Amino acid sequence: MSDLGLAGRSVLVVGATKGLGLAIAHKFCASGAHVLLNYAHDDEAAKAALASLEGLPGSASVVRADPSTEDGAAQLIAAVSAAGRGLDILVHNAASWHPMPAAGASVADLHTDVTAALDPLLRLVPGLLEHLKPGSRVLAVSSSGAQRVIPRYVALGVAKAALESLVRYLAVELAPRGITVNAVTTAKLDKGAETTQPEMVQVLAARTPAGRLSTPADVADVVALLSAPEAGWIHGQVITADGGLSLRS
């Protein structure tokens, strides 16, 4: 079935109004799910995101809150409770990135990126447990920089590596409740506007066995697959969706 059994399910996407987060929200909404789009700052982007989902089989609403903070997480938990549907799927896509070298890194900025990667799950999962029933999914978005060295990517690389570790710990603790916790990771995305470094994009696309860079929709498809009922026996894994780019030496 094209909806992967997602019709009618309740979904919260953290970091949902741009790029990959919006692609994930679109995939769920197109599959007939009820999607709550979370964002922290850009009201105009949130309005545009909501408008882009109009006419799809599912429904969508937005909540402005920063779940890396105690108050923001409480707002999101309250929004889920007020919707009265419970929560079937939680997707954590929020991130912060401060480019820097590893030798000479800004400790404060690195800590900011780690906070953005870890705190939403650390704050939301405990408060949402009463809404997450057996069969629910918790998913996080990672990147290849968690396992491989990318120039000036140390802050987000460390943050995503820590996020992947947190996914494993949560998976073990939540599995007895019938809740799966997994991550999806990818390499550089082709967002349709790669104008700043076109030569690099061309090189990476040529190195990708599947012949092109991954798109946000490619990754969103994998998030949806992990949310399907048939994926219930996958726990604590990091699934790579990059067209085979990470297989190259």
Side-chain angles (χ1 to χ4, degrees):
M1 294 178 61
S2 60
D3 66 4
L4 298 171
L6 302 175
R9 303 194 81 186
S10 176
V11 184
L12 168 60
V13 183
V14 176
T17 56
K18 298 178 182 178
L20 178 52
L22 181 55
I24 292 169
H26 187 281
K27 178 67 178 182
F28 281 116
C29 202
S31 299
H34 305 289
V35 186
L36 181 61
L37 288 74
N38 163 247
Y39 70 105
H41 304 294
D42 193 336
D43 292 329
E44 290 303 314
K47 291 178 183 177
L50 200 56
S52 73
L53 302 178
E54 291 180 0
L56 295 177
S59 62
S61 57
V62 295
V63 174
R64 177 171 179 164
D66 180 357
S68 66
T69 69
E70 184 177 354
D71 288 345
Q75 280 183 264
L76 271 183
I77 294 166
V80 169
S81 180
R85 296 190 180 100
L87 186 65
D88 298 300
I89 301 161
L90 167 62
V91 182
H92 170 31
N93 176 63
S96 165
W97 177 37
H98 292 82
M100 65 183 74
S106 163
V107 174
D109 287 344
L110 188 147
H111 285 180
T112 295
D113 292 350
V114 172
T115 294
L118 297 184
D119 285 20
L121 281 187
L122 290 172
R123 295 184 185 281
L124 289 174
V125 168
L128 290 172
L129 277 181
E130 64 179 290
H131 303 289
L132 292 164
K133 306 305 181 186
S136 295
R137 306 282 190 260
V138 176
L139 294 155
V141 174
S142 187
S143 82
S144 59
Q147 302 296 330
R148 291 169 177 80
V149 175
I150 299 171
R152 299 184 61 79
Y153 201 79
V154 61
L156 191 52
V158 168
K160 293 296 190 180
L163 176 63
E164 292 181 7
S165 181
L166 177 59
V167 162
R168 290 186 284 271
Y169 276 89
L170 287 173
V172 170
E173 292 189 15
L174 299 189
R177 295 173 175 261
I179 301 168
T180 71
V181 187
N182 293 289
V184 178
T185 187
T186 192
K188 185 175 179 63
L189 288 171
D190 182 350
K191 300 176 183 177
E194 296 288 1
T195 58
T196 57
Q197 296 176 304
E199 297 84 2
M200 178 184 292
V201 170
Q202 291 174 6
V203 169
L204 290 174
R207 285 180 54 80
T208 302
R212 60 171 175 80
L213 290 185
S214 304
T215 66
D218 293 325
V219 182
D221 285 344
V222 178
V223 171
L225 285 171
L226 287 172
S227 302
E230 291 84 354
W233 207 236
I234 302 174
H235 289 264
Q237 301 303 303
V238 179
I239 307 300
T240 301
D242 67 355
L245 176 60
S246 60
L247 301 175
R248 297 287 196 186
S249 60

